[in-house]
C-alpha cells in the first residue's frame, strides 16, 4: 500500500479571491511581511502499489482531482505505514 | 418535443426547469433521476442548477463522472440541444463539453439578483427568438460563476461566435463578461443566469421564456423537414 500526498494549486495568472481574502486577514493581524497568499488543496490517497503507479496518479489528477484548465498538481508517493 | 430534466443529488432548480418547459412552454418533459436515466427517447437535455454532490471537490466535478454523462455526451454528439444552467453549466465545463472552468466569484459572495444580459449571438438554436444585441433581464444565483479560460480559448470563442450572453455589469469577474457560451457546433449551451426563473411576467420577468421557445421552434422546423 502506498500513500500518495497530492498538492493542487491554482495556476499562475488565475485569480485567487480566497487567497486574497486570507492575505487581507493576515495583514489585519499585522503580519505586514506577507507578500502573497494562494490557497490550494491537499489530499492523501491510499492506493495499492503497481508498476505504473505514477502514470495512474497522473491520470487520476487529470481526470478528476485537479482541473487542468485552472490548476496544477504535484505529489509524492510514500510507503503507507 | 420531449425534454429530460436530469436530477442529481443536490440539484435544486430541477422543478423550476420542469415548470418552464412543461407548463410555460407546453412541451413534454420528465424529471429524470441520474441513475435511472435512459436518454435515447428524449429530444432535449436540460441540466438544472443546484449544488450537485454538495459542490464537493469543485462545482460539478463529481456529477461529471457519473454514468449518465456518457449518455449526455452521446446526445450532444447526435446534435440534440443540451442546456446547462448554473450548476448544469459547471457540469458541462467539468465534463469538457464546453471549454474553460469556473472560479469562485471575484468578491467571494454568493449573489442572487437580476442581471441585464446582452444577447451577443441571436443565431443559435437557443436564441433565435431574441434580437441580436437585445438587452434581457435574467436572474443569477451563484457563488462559483467566475468564468475563466485562457487568451487563446477566449479568442476562439469570439471568432466562432460561441459567446451567446454577456453581462452588462459583470457581477463575478468572468473573463470577457461572459454569461453563457455554446460549443463549436452550437447545440450545447452553458449559462450561469437562470432563464427558467424568468418565464412568467406575473412572477417578475419572462425574458427567459424565449430561450425555451427558440429550442422548440428549431426542433419543430428540423423535424418538419425530416418528415
Amino acid at each position: 500500500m502506498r500513500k500518495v500526498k497530492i498538492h493542487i494549486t491554482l495556476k499562475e495568472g488565475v485569480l485567487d479571491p480566497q487567497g486574497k481574502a486570507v492575505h487581507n486577514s493576515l495583514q489585519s493581524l499585522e503580519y505586514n511581511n506577507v507578500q502573497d497568499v494562494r490557497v490550494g488543496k491537499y489530499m492523501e490517497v491510499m492506493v495499492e502499489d503497481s508498476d505504473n503507479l505514477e502514470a495512474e496518479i497522473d491520470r487520476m489528477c487529470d481526470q478528476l482531482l485537479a482541473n487542468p484548465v485552472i490548476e496544477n498538481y504535484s505529489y509524492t508517493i510514500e510507503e503507507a505505514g | 418535443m420531449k425534454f429530460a430534466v436530469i436530477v442529481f443529488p443536490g440539484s435544486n432548480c430541477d422543478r423550476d426547469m420542469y415548470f418552464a418547459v412543461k407548463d410555460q412552454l407546453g412541451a413534454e418533459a420528465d424529471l429524470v433521476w441520474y441513475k435511472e436515466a435512459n436518454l435515447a427517447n428524449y429530444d432535449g437535455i436540460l441540466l438544472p442548477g443546484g449544488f450537485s454532490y454538495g459542490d464537493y471537490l469543485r462545482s460539478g466535478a463529481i456529477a461529471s463522472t457519473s454514468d449518465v454523462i456518457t449518455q449526455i455526451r452521446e446526445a450532444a454528439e447526435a446534435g440534440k440541444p443540451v442546456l446547462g444552467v448554473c450548476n448544469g453549466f459547471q457540469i458541462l465545463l467539468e465534463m469538457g463539453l464546453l471549454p474553460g472552468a469556473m472560479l469562485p466569484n471575484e468578491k467571494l459572495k454568493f449573489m442572487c439578483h437580476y442581471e441585464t444580459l446582452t444577447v451577443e449571438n441571436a443565431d443559435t438554436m437557443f436564441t433565435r427568438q431574441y434580437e441580436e444585441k437585445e438587452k434581457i433581464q435574467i436572474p443569477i444565483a451563484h457563488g462559483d460563476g467566475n468564468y475563466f479560460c485562457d487568451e487563446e480559448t477566449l479568442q476562439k470563442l469570439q471568432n466562432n461566435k460561441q459567446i451567446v450572453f454577456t453581462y452588462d455589469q459583470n457581477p463575478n469577474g468572468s473573463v470577457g463578461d461572459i454569461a453563457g457560451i455554446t460549443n463549436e457546433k452550437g447545440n450545447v449551451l452553458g449559462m450561469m443566469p437562470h432563464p427558467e426563473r424568468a418565464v412568467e411576467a406575473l412572477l417578475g420577468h419572462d425574458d427567459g421564456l424565449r430561450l425555451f421557445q427558440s429550442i422548440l421552434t428549431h426542433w419543430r422546423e428540423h423535424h418538419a423537414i425530416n418528415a
Side-chain angles (χ1 to χ4, degrees), chain A residues 10 14-15 17-18 21 41 43 64-67 69-71, chain B residues 57-58 61-62 65 94 100-106 108 148:
Chain A
L10 278 177
V14 175
L15 220 67
Q18 203 181 166
K41 291 183 189 127
M43 296 174 199
L64 178 66
L65 302 182
N67 182 336
V69 179
I70 46 172
E71 293 168 326
Chain B
L57 192 63
R58 296 177 305 275
I62 306 290
T65 64
E94 283 287 342
M102 224 36 106
L103 293 168
N105 293 345
E106 204 171 30
L108 289 173
F148 175 86

Side-chain angles (χ1 to χ4, degrees), chain A residues 32-47:
Chain A
N32 298 318
N33 51 344
V34 177
Q35 294 301 305
D36 192 24
V37 179
R38 307 276 285 170
V39 176
K41 291 183 189 127
Y42 170 71
M43 296 174 199
E44 290 182 350
V45 179
M46 304 295 285
V47 59

Side-chain angles (χ1 to χ4, degrees), chain B residues 13 16-17 19-21 24 46-49 83-86 114 117 126 130 136-141 165 179 189-200 205-213 215:
Chain B
C13 304
D16 290 352
M17 192 70 99
F19 169 77
V21 288
Q24 294 302 101
L46 305 171
L47 300 175
L83 168 67
V85 169
C86 199
Y114 274 94
L117 308 182
F126 301 97
Y130 297 102
I136 57 172
Q137 298 288 316
I138 306 280
I140 60 163
F165 298 113
L189 170 66
M191 61 191 293
M192 287 314 290
H194 289 266
E196 81 283 5
R197 292 191 190 181
V199 292
E200 168 83 271
H205 284 276
D206 61 359
D207 284 348
L209 186 58
R210 278 179 288 156
L211 189 147
F212 299 103
Q213 288 167 340
I215 303 174

Side-chain angles (χ1 to χ4, degrees), chain A residues 1-18:
Chain A
M1 193 69 85
R2 298 288 167 136
K3 182 191 267 185
V4 186
K5 296 180 168 178
I6 306 173
H7 282 96
I8 294 164
T9 53
L10 278 177
K11 280 185 175 170
E12 216 176 305
V14 175
L15 220 67
D16 180 12
Q18 203 181 166

